[in-house]
Amino acid sequence: MEMIIILFSIFVICYIFQCVIDKSHRKKYLNNLKDTRKYLSDAEILSFYKDSNLSEISILELWNEVATNFDIPSGYLRPEDCLAEMGILQIVVDHPKLQALTDIAIEREKELNKSIDLENISTLDDYIKAFAVYLK
């Protein structure tokens, strides 16, 4: 019984330590974005896709979905941003926020009724191009 308490205590301490480091890393990541990037309006975000045949509403919905999931103000994101690096501590392979976005992507894949290779989605742009609705 004593061993279980010790193991549980070690687990709790490691979890708290990981959360503190993760929060610190996320804050540093966000501060770096704020220091190095101009905040984009919706019109400026849409300009990245002006030559595409994608629905503007769909683009903004997906863009904001990623921003919300990673707790990053949407205007600081760029299409080339890597989803796995959005404020996530690199030691953690299966980060809950990345897993949550993967779960959302799987649901979207079902809704769209099309096969999407989720392993090839690494950037915000990949995510949008995979799930945005095309204009008819």
Side-chain angles (χ1 to χ4, degrees), residues 21-58:
I21 291 175
D22 192 45
K23 184 176 180 181
S24 171
H25 182 75
R26 216 179 2 251
K27 183 177 179 182
K28 183 178 176 184
Y29 181 84
L30 183 55
N31 286 338
N32 182 52
L33 291 181
K34 289 178 178 180
D35 292 343
T36 60
R37 295 180 175 178
K38 172 188 162 227
Y39 190 86
L40 301 177
S41 67
D42 286 350
E44 290 169 313
I45 291 169
L46 291 171
S47 71
F48 292 118
Y49 300 95
K50 65 180 179 222
D51 295 330
S52 74
N53 200 22
L54 301 173
S55 159
E56 290 182 352
I57 293 170
S58 184

Side-chain angles (χ1 to χ4, degrees), residues 51-78:
D51 295 330
S52 74
N53 200 22
L54 301 173
S55 159
E56 290 182 352
I57 293 170
S58 184
I59 292 167
L60 292 176
E61 177 184 338
L62 292 165
W63 191 286
N64 285 300
E65 182 174 281
V66 170
T68 300
N69 186 70
F70 289 107
D71 302 318
I72 299 172
S74 63
Y76 289 119
L77 295 178
R78 300 296 184 269

Side-chain angles (χ1 to χ4, degrees), residues 64-103:
N64 285 300
E65 182 174 281
V66 170
T68 300
N69 186 70
F70 289 107
D71 302 318
I72 299 172
S74 63
Y76 289 119
L77 295 178
R78 300 296 184 269
E80 66 274 7
D81 288 342
C82 181
L83 298 174
E85 294 175 0
M86 290 187 178
I88 295 173
L89 186 63
Q90 295 305 307
I91 308 169
V92 182
V93 176
D94 296 324
H95 195 281
K97 290 189 176 285
L98 192 56
Q99 185 58 47
L101 190 64
T102 301
D103 293 343

Side-chain angles (χ1 to χ4, degrees), residues 52-55 58 112 114 128-136:
S52 74
N53 200 22
L54 301 173
S55 159
S58 184
L112 294 173
K114 67 178 186 178
I128 288 173
K129 288 179 177 174
F131 293 109
V133 176
Y134 286 91
L135 298 173
K136 295 183 184 202

